[in-house]
Amino acid sequence: ELSIRRVKFDMNELARVAAESVGSRECVHIEKLPDGMFNKTFQFTMVNGAEVVGKVPNPNAGQAHFTTASEVATMDFVRHPAYLLLDGH
């Protein structure tokens, strides 16, 4: 089971992209967060104090396009929840 969750990636490149994504020149700290079934998760802290959560999908996660789109849609929903008005209020 562990072999289907193994993925090779360049941590330095991931940290560089995370820093660039928030306009920071450098990542100064990386913390490994608990893995989910489908992702390896890290928290990156930048020299300017910004924090970024980065996820690296495991091979068993499915097609990257669909898994990423699903996560983005979920995060968007959490930021802008849709409320169902059952009684008009």
Side-chain angles (χ1 to χ4, degrees):
E1 185 175 305
L2 290 177
S3 66
I4 64 172
R5 294 174 51 196
R6 183 178 310 268
V7 62
K8 291 184 180 184
F9 63 97
D10 183 341
M11 181 59 82
N12 291 327
E13 180 65 8
L14 187 59
R16 185 194 68 74
V17 170
E20 185 179 285
S21 76
V22 292
S24 181
R25 63 179 167 76
E26 181 180 14
C27 175
V28 294
H29 180 75
I30 302 170
E31 181 180 344
K32 176 75 175 86
L33 300 176
D35 286 344
M37 285 297 297
F38 302 111
N39 297 290
K40 305 207 179 323
T41 309
F42 304 91
Q43 182 171 338
F44 300 91
T45 304
M46 307 307 158
V47 70
N48 65 2
E51 294 182 329
V52 174
V53 173
K55 291 185 174 186
V56 177
N58 295 332
N60 66 332
Q63 294 182 9
H65 171 79
F66 295 116
T67 57
T68 300
S70 175
E71 286 201 26
V72 169
T74 300
M75 289 186 292
D76 188 51
F77 176 77
V78 170
R79 277 193 294 269
H80 311 303
Y83 294 99
L84 178 61
L85 300 177
L86 298 176
D87 63 355
H89 296 98

